[in-house]
Structure formats: C-alpha cells, structure tokens
Amino acid sequence: MAVLNEKPLLILGGGLMGLAIAHELAQRGKRVEVLSRSRLEAAGFVAAGMLAPHAEGLEGDLLNLGQISLQRHSAWIKNIESNSNMSCGLKTSGIVVPFDSQTDCESYPTYKYGEKLNTNELRKEVPGLSLKWKLGLLFKQDGQIDNRRLLMRALEKACVELGVHFQEGVEVVEIIQDLNKFTGVKIKDINGNITHLESKEAVLCCGAWSKQIFKELPIFPVKGQMLSIQGPKQILKRIVFGPGIYLVPREDGLIIVGATSEIEAGFQGGLTPKGQSELQKGIESLIPELNQLPHMERWWGFRPCTPDEGPLLGMSSINGLWLATGHYRNGVLLAAITAELIGKSICSIPITNEESSLLFKFRWNRF
Ligand SMILES: Cc1cc2nc3c(=O)[nH]c(=O)nc-3n(C[C@H](O)[C@H](O)[C@H](O)COP(=O)(O)OP(=O)(O)OC[C@H]3O[C@@H](n4cnc5c(N)ncnc54)[C@H](O)[C@@H]3O)c2cc1C
C-alpha cells in the first residue's frame, strides 16, 4: 500500500514508456506522478505499432529481449484493457517479409524463425504484391497493436483509474541531486514559472529528448514520417515488411505506411516532399494498386536511438534515478518487458536470473 505522506515517485515524460511504467507501479501500490511536456509529441502516438522482433531482423541480445517482450504482450495488454475498460487492438496478424533472391532470404538474420514462402504462397498471403518479389518469410508469431488510436489512450485511462497523478504541459528542466542521490527536479510550466519538485525516486522516460536533461545518456533522435491510407476491410490480411517500407493493415481497413529514417533531420519536425514521396514509392514497390486508395493522414515523430539500437534500462549513475529510454524503433514491442523489469526493480520484487541478465545487458553504461 502507498504511504500517504511519502512524496510520489516522478515519471519524467508521459509517452509510451512513462505511461507503461506509471501503470505498472500504480498497480503495485506506488504513488506516481507523471510530468509530461506534450503527450502529442510522444513517439507512442506516432509508431506503426508492429510487434516485430523477427520481421525487423533483430539480432543477439536485442532479439532475445524482443522475443521475451512479445511473449508477455498478451498478458500485459489484457491487464491494461481490464484496468481501462478499453480495447487496445492487439492482433497476431503475422508479418510477411518479401525478397527478390534466395540469397537475401537465406541471409536474413531471423531466417530460421520464419515459414518459407515460394512465389505462389507469397502471392496468396499478399494479394497484389509486385512481381519483383519472388519469395518470402512469414513470421506468424509477430503482430501489431493499435497504439495511436487505442493503446496510448487505454494506458492513460488505466493510469487515471489507478490514481496516477498527471501534470501535462510541464517541462523538466533540471535533475537535482545531492551527493549522487536523486532529490527532485526543476520543472517549467507553460507560463515559464520554474518550481522545484522534491522526490527520492524518478524514472527518466523522455524518449528522443532524454539527453537534453541528462547529458551523459548516448541518445539521439531518428525522425520518421508516416502516412495512412483507407482501404476496404480485409484488403490486406498480413503486415508486409519490405526494405525501408512497411504496410500495417488495421482491423477497419486503415493501412499505416511507414516510415522514413532521417538521422540527419535531428529534431527538425514536419513533413517533407522527399520523405512523403519516399513513402509513395515504397507503396509502389510493394503493392502498386494501394496507391489508388485515399490518403487519410500524414505525420512524423522521433525515435530515441542509442549507438547499438538497444534501450537503456535500470538505475542510472544517480542513485534513485531509473532509466527506461532509448527503445529506438521497437518501443511498442519492448514496452511490456520494460514496464515489468523497471516495475519489479523499483518495488524490490525478486527477479529471475534471466531478468537480471537482461538488466545487465541493457545497462546505460555498456558502451
Ligand atoms: C515513425 C515511427 C515508427 C515507429 N514504429 C514502431 C513500431 O512499429 N513498433 C515499435 O515497437 N516501435 C515503433 N516505434 C518506436 C516507438 O514509438 C518508440 O520506441 C517509443 O514510443 C518510445 O517511447 P518513449 O516513452 O521512450 O518516448 P516517447 O513515446 O517519445 O515519449 C517521450 C515523452 O517525453 C516527453 N518529454 C521529453 N522531454 C521532456 C522534458 N524535459 N520534460 C517533460 N517531458 C518531456 C515528450 O513530450 C514525450 O511525450 C516507432 C517510432 C517512430 C517515430
């Protein structure tokens, strides 16, 4: 049970990780306060929502972390759905990765986890696929979640139901420490007023912006532009994951098309003709007839990237300041395991050897 006169644990950043961890901690009886500069700039509201450790061709420890998180997704989502009384749109739709040569297919990092598709089978799984693709891998275990329209909102509602307190529109401008112990933050409200908020513990979840308030973190933004097109229901059964382009069909026929990868853009927001035409060409290279469908929306966001593309998890160099950031292009996939690892660590719940080894592998100072 929460101790009432104790200062709440602070969650710095109310994007996907911030909400996932706030939810986890509130369920475990912690008093939690989320400090969020802008919910709408969160990559959690931008992502395509693929749960794709295999289709993304992840390798090594990151593949292992992704596979463990994927296994936990269904229980994690059920919990959020039950606390929010909302659906999150989780679907094990399977993902098809097409190839134009046997060599490319066999050298794909996750080749052994996929079902091989010959030309006929490939066309049956993905009707209308361009003839340039000769064979494919079907990863039936991969799936998707409707993060933009459902998951983020369900998480917010579940947090509120569990008593999480939110401050929206405030920016954390400084982390305060005393003899290497976290003691609080300075925050700036929309009127520019700066106040000091005391606390013994916080989790830094500022995504791509994490380095701005904690300089030693090796995190940088990788911008991604997206668009969506509206098809009839069931126009596409599987997600199609091509080189530099993917198509994610939602239940109602909406198809999310992603995404550019623009490291040189830094934090420069906005749509660009180059980025949008890249997406258009990408659709053409996969299923040309989809370019006839009406466009619905276009948007962009920033992935939080690290030098090895893996997240930073666990205690930082400041005692009491936890890290859950740097999830790059797999944050939706990794949210389930991140919330569990950080939640258990903060609440001193015994963890398995496997969990402890994951925390070690993804420690912030591994580089
Ligand atoms: C185009 C694109 C496509 C993607 N597709 C997928 C996908 O298909 N599958 C997948 O698994 N992942 C995908 N991702 C990755 C995923 O979205 C991210 O890894 C994940 O959202 C990161 O979560 P986060 O909470 O760390 O950051 P965010 O969700 O970005 O949240 C960070 C929050 O911190 C706040 N903040 C920042 N600085 C401060 C401050 N100083 N004070 C207060 N608040 C602050 C911001 O306002 C923001 O709300 C995609 C990302 C992008 C951009």
Side-chain angles (χ1 to χ4, degrees), residues 11-20 34-53 56 73 143-145 147 152 167-174 186-188 204-213 219 222-226 239 241 246 248 250 256-261 299-305 324-335:
I11 301 278
L12 317 182
L16 179 55
M17 295 307 149
L19 293 174
V34 177
L35 307 173
S36 162
R37 184 173 61 198
S38 159
R39 62 193 280 281
L40 287 181
E41 72 184 354
F45 276 112
V46 173
M50 287 179 294
L51 308 174
E56 284 262 353
H73 247 275
Q144 61 163 297
I145 191 147
N147 55 298
M152 290 295 279
Q167 286 202 51
E168 174 65 22
V170 298
E171 181 172 8
V172 178
V173 286
E174 194 181 330
K186 278 190 188 159
I187 54 171
K188 185 163 84 177
L204 191 152
C205 306
C206 290
W209 301 268
S210 300
K211 193 181 171 70
Q212 293 176 348
I213 54 166
I219 293 194
V222 178
K223 181 180 172 185
Q225 298 185 46
M226 315 265 291
I239 295 171
F241 190 94
Y246 49 75
V248 185
R250 301 284 195 235
I256 311 295
V257 183
T260 63
S261 190
W299 66 98
W300 77 91
F302 300 104
R303 307 173 184 91
C305 193
T325 184
H327 294 75
Y328 188 38
R329 44 186 299 136
N330 287 293
V332 182
L333 167 69
L334 299 176

Side-chain angles (χ1 to χ4, degrees), residues 214-288:
F214 198 15
K215 298 275 175 277
E216 63 193 75
L217 300 182
I219 293 194
F220 51 94
V222 178
K223 181 180 172 185
Q225 298 185 46
M226 315 265 291
L227 62 82
S228 62
I229 48 185
Q230 183 66 55
K233 262 189 175 182
Q234 295 293 319
I235 184 169
L236 201 55
K237 187 170 63 158
R238 307 280 191 200
I239 295 171
V240 189
F241 190 94
I245 185 86
Y246 49 75
L247 307 169
V248 185
R250 301 284 195 235
E251 200 64 48
D252 57 358
L254 189 77
I255 299 174
I256 311 295
V257 183
T260 63
S261 190
E262 305 167 54
I263 191 169
E264 67 293 344
F267 279 115
Q268 189 163 13
L271 302 169
T272 62
K274 181 167 177 276
Q276 291 295 302
S277 81
E278 232 177 74
L279 296 177
Q280 214 89 39
K281 282 186 200 139
I283 301 175
E284 193 70 29
S285 75
L286 288 179
I287 309 181

